[in-house]
Amino acid sequence: RYDRSMTSTATWTVRTLPLAELPSIEWERLLATNPTASAFSNRAVHEAWWIGYGAEATDISLAVYDAAGALRAYLPLMLRPDGVRYLGATYHVDYATVLIDLGNADSAVAAAGALVAHLFADDAALDLRRLRRADRAHALLMRALAENTTRTATTTVEDPAPAIDLTDIATLDEHLERIDKKDRHEIRRKVRRGEGAGVTISAKPHAVDDLAEFIRLHRARWGSRGLFTDDAKGARDEAFMRALF
C-alpha cells in the first residue's frame, strides 16, 4: 500500500516512508533543529492519531535525502478516502508538522524545494491548512510553495486556541506567580470559592487514570455534538485520547 512514486535528482531523493518505518532518533534529530516547532510536532501526537484513526487513511509520509543519503526533511502525509492528501492529523491538531533539518540554511531551503517538487508531481489534491508562520520549517515550506510555479498553491494559516508554557511548572502556585497580579488574585479567589464547595485541585503523575471521568464529563456537557459519542466514531476518539495521554 506504500508503493508510490519516488523523485530523484543528482542531489536530492524524495520517497514515501510511513511513520512506523522512520526511526524515532531521526524524527527527534530533525525536530531538535527547530526550537519554534509546536507541541503538535511531537512524534507521540502522530503515533496516537494512527492508533485512533489509522483505519481511515493511508500513511504516505515523505522523506527527503541528500546526495550522501542523510535524511534532511520529513513530512507526515496521509491519503484519506476522499482522495485528498493531508498534512499531519487533519482536524485533530492545531498545527501541521513539517520537519526540516535547519542546521544548514542552504540545505534546508533546497530540501524544502525538493519536497514541494515531489508534492506537485502528484496530481492528487493537497490540503495545506494548519501551517504556522512562526514555525521556521513551516515558513520554509510556504516559501518553496510560492516559488514553485508548477502548480498554484493556496496556504491557510490558522489561529488556534491560546496556550501556556508549562515547562518546569509542577504546581498551580508556580504558574500563578508568573502571571499578572490582578489575574493571580482573581484565580485564587475562585479556587478558595471552589474549595469551600468541596472542590480540590491536586497533581496526578498519571493523568490517564482519570481519563474515564474526563470522558464522562465531556459527554455530559456536549452529548452528540462533542467527542466520545456512543458509536464507532466515539470509540476512535477515545482510542486517540488514551494513546495521547
Side-chain angles (χ1 to χ4, degrees), residues 25-100:
I25 192 172
E26 287 288 75
W27 179 291
E28 297 304 327
R29 179 180 63 81
L30 294 178
L31 182 59
T33 69
N34 184 11
T36 57
S38 76
F40 294 100
S41 287
N42 286 324
R43 184 183 176 114
V45 175
H46 295 262
E47 290 177 334
W49 191 93
W50 284 105
I51 289 173
Y53 307 101
E56 301 178 326
T58 300
D59 188 340
I60 56 171
S61 300
L62 297 175
V64 182
Y65 299 89
D66 64 16
L71 180 67
R72 293 297 182 182
Y74 188 74
L75 180 68
L77 193 68
M78 64 176 67
L79 181 66
R80 301 295 295 274
D82 59 6
V84 178
R85 295 172 293 163
Y86 292 89
L87 306 190
T90 63
Y91 58 84
H92 298 94
V93 302
D94 285 343
Y95 296 123
T97 292
V98 181
L99 299 176
I100 300 176

Side-chain angles (χ1 to χ4, degrees), residues 210-226:
D210 293 318
L211 182 58
E213 178 64 6
F214 169 80
I215 291 174
R216 186 191 69 80
L217 291 171
H218 183 94
R219 284 174 174 161
R221 171 64 180 86
W222 297 106
S224 61
R225 294 179 296 136

Side-chain angles (χ1 to χ4, degrees), residues 31-210:
L31 182 59
T33 69
N34 184 11
T36 57
S38 76
F40 294 100
S41 287
N42 286 324
R43 184 183 176 114
V45 175
H46 295 262
E47 290 177 334
W49 191 93
W50 284 105
I51 289 173
Y53 307 101
E56 301 178 326
T58 300
D59 188 340
I60 56 171
S61 300
L62 297 175
V64 182
Y65 299 89
D66 64 16
L71 180 67
R72 293 297 182 182
Y74 188 74
L75 180 68
L77 193 68
M78 64 176 67
L79 181 66
R80 301 295 295 274
D82 59 6
V84 178
R85 295 172 293 163
Y86 292 89
L87 306 190
T90 63
Y91 58 84
H92 298 94
V93 302
D94 285 343
Y95 296 123
T97 292
V98 181
L99 299 176
I100 300 176
D101 187 341
L102 301 175
N104 181 289
D106 292 338
S107 175
V109 170
L115 180 60
V116 168
H118 184 91
L119 288 171
F120 282 178
D122 189 329
D123 291 334
L126 179 63
D127 188 303
L128 296 173
R129 287 177 292 177
R130 295 175 174 82
L131 295 174
R132 175 171 168 256
R133 289 192 180 93
D135 186 311
R136 290 170 56 196
H138 285 199
L140 278 179
L141 179 66
M142 287 188 278
R143 172 182 166 182
L145 288 165
E147 292 178 349
N148 189 311
T149 59
T150 304
R151 295 171 66 183
T152 299
T154 300
T155 59
T156 301
V157 180
E158 299 199 346
D159 293 317
I164 58 174
D165 182 2
L166 294 176
T167 304
D168 298 326
I169 300 299
T171 69
L172 178 62
D173 285 336
E174 287 176 346
H175 165 61
L176 294 180
E177 288 302 321
R178 305 182 305 165
I179 67 176
D180 177 82
K181 181 178 179 180
K182 180 180 178 181
D183 291 336
R184 180 167 63 245
H185 174 76
E186 180 64 16
I187 291 174
R188 283 179 169 154
R189 184 186 68 80
K190 291 182 177 180
V191 169
R192 289 194 297 270
R193 183 178 178 185
E195 290 173 341
V199 174
T200 61
I201 298 177
S202 59
K204 289 294 290 290
H206 303 292
V208 70
D209 296 342
D210 293 318

